[in-house]
Structure formats: structure tokens, C-alpha cells
Amino acid sequence: MKDTGRRILLGRIVGAFGIRGEAKLESWTEPRLSIFRYQPWILRAPNGDEREMTGARGRESGKHLTAQLPGVTDRDVVEAMRGTEIFVPRSALPPPKPDEYYWVDLEGLAVSTVEGVELGTVSHLFSTGANDVMAVRGDRERLIPFVQPDFVQSVDFEANRIVVDWDPEF
């Protein structure tokens, strides 16, 4: 992982909770309460305005999290924040375990087959429930299951390359 200045999207504010200015959050961390471990947050409003925030606290509340944001005590202020995305610097996250990867670290890496055929670069990843899938854009888009060692043979951050066992015609 070379780009330590990147930001990671961890969740978003989806509305107000109660009358004391608490916010309902959607969290994409695992477990979802971990979002509070990674701070400072960089809040990006739907209009593009950004600000940094430290000290948010929260708890589980049904399908969302409930958060108390520092300095926010009014429900209307929280409602105005609806849709605000919560980012953290990539450097705020712990290093991944061996053979585990943050998706953002894989995005932009070149992908080639074991025979050396260039397929393109990783544009994004997504989960199907059964496994994660890399979207590789080159002469066309290919969806390659991120399954090691069946399809993904190696990930080399020094060379900015992923080698896959994949038929380039598929």
C-alpha cells in the first residue's frame, strides 16, 4: 500500500435520532461499531463541503448506529447533515493481516494473467455474499472472483500488480 494520503469511506449520516441532536449512522465497518475507533472523521456534506471531527461516540440502535457528535445538540442540525459521508485517512486503519486486503488498496492495481496477458486495472470491488469480486477495466470490463489461490495468484504492491489465473476471453 503506497498511497497513505487516501481516504476511506466508512459510513454516512442517514438522519436524526430523538430530540437531543443524536445522529443515525450507517456504518460499513466490521463490526459496525468499529467506525468510532477510527478518528478523526472527515465529514463530506452532500454539497461537497468538508470538515474534520474528533470525539464522536455511539451505540447500536436497531439497523443503524446512534451517534453523539461533538458540539451538536440540535435535531435540526443533524437533519441538515443527512447524507453526509464519513471518511477517515487510510493511515487511521490498522494494517491488514497477511493475505487480507483493504479494497481501496487494490483499486488501481494492474491485473494480468499468469501467461502475462494484460487485462486492465482494478476499478472497484464488491461482495456477492459468496465471495468478493474485482471489476477490472481494460479493453472491456471483466468481473473476476477475488478468490485465492483459485483465481488470484498474487498481489504485489511493490509492482502495483495482481496476477490472476483467468481466461482473457472470458
Side-chain angles (χ1 to χ4, degrees):
M1 213 289 299
K2 296 182 349 183
D3 188 3
T4 57
R6 295 184 84 173
R7 295 176 176 182
I8 311 300
L9 179 62
L10 295 185
R12 87 175 135 215
I13 298 172
V14 295
F17 181 85
I19 59 171
R20 294 178 295 171
E22 291 180 299
K24 285 194 297 189
L25 303 183
E26 187 173 41
S27 171
W28 300 306
T29 62
E30 191 60 43
R32 63 188 186 156
L33 268 174
S34 294
I35 194 170
F36 297 104
R37 273 193 249 158
Y38 309 120
Q39 296 194 35
W41 287 355
I42 300 151
L43 302 177
R44 184 187 307 157
N47 68 4
D49 289 346
E50 293 186 354
R51 68 179 171 136
E52 192 170 292
M53 176 181 285
T54 302
R57 300 180 333 269
R59 65 187 185 282
E60 296 273 352
S61 181
K63 68 178 185 175
H64 295 103
L65 300 177
T66 300
Q68 183 62 58
L69 306 175
V72 177
T73 58
D74 184 286
R75 177 184 178 84
D76 293 335
V77 171
V78 175
E79 276 301 327
M81 296 174 73
R82 183 185 296 264
T84 295
E85 297 174 315
I86 302 167
F87 290 85
V88 296
R90 168 62 180 86
S91 58
L93 301 178
K97 297 174 184 162
D99 294 324
E100 289 186 0
Y101 307 96
Y102 288 114
W103 287 359
V104 69
D105 294 343
L106 301 172
E107 293 170 359
L109 295 182
V111 179
S112 62
T113 67
V114 291
E115 294 85 18
V117 176
E118 295 291 328
L119 299 179
T121 60
V122 177
S123 66
H124 62 283
L125 291 98
F126 60 92
S127 179
T128 64
N131 54 266
D132 298 333
V133 175
M134 286 188 302
V136 178
R137 290 200 180 129
D139 59 334
R140 60 185 176 90
E141 185 175 71
R142 292 175 177 87
L143 302 178
I144 303 172
F146 195 89
V147 178
Q148 294 179 293
D150 298 349
F151 304 115
V152 176
Q153 301 294 302
S154 66
V155 176
D156 185 344
F157 290 111
E158 294 295 318
N160 289 319
R161 178 162 307 281
I162 298 173
V163 176
V164 295
D165 187 1
W166 195 255
D167 181 352
E169 299 304 315
F170 188 69

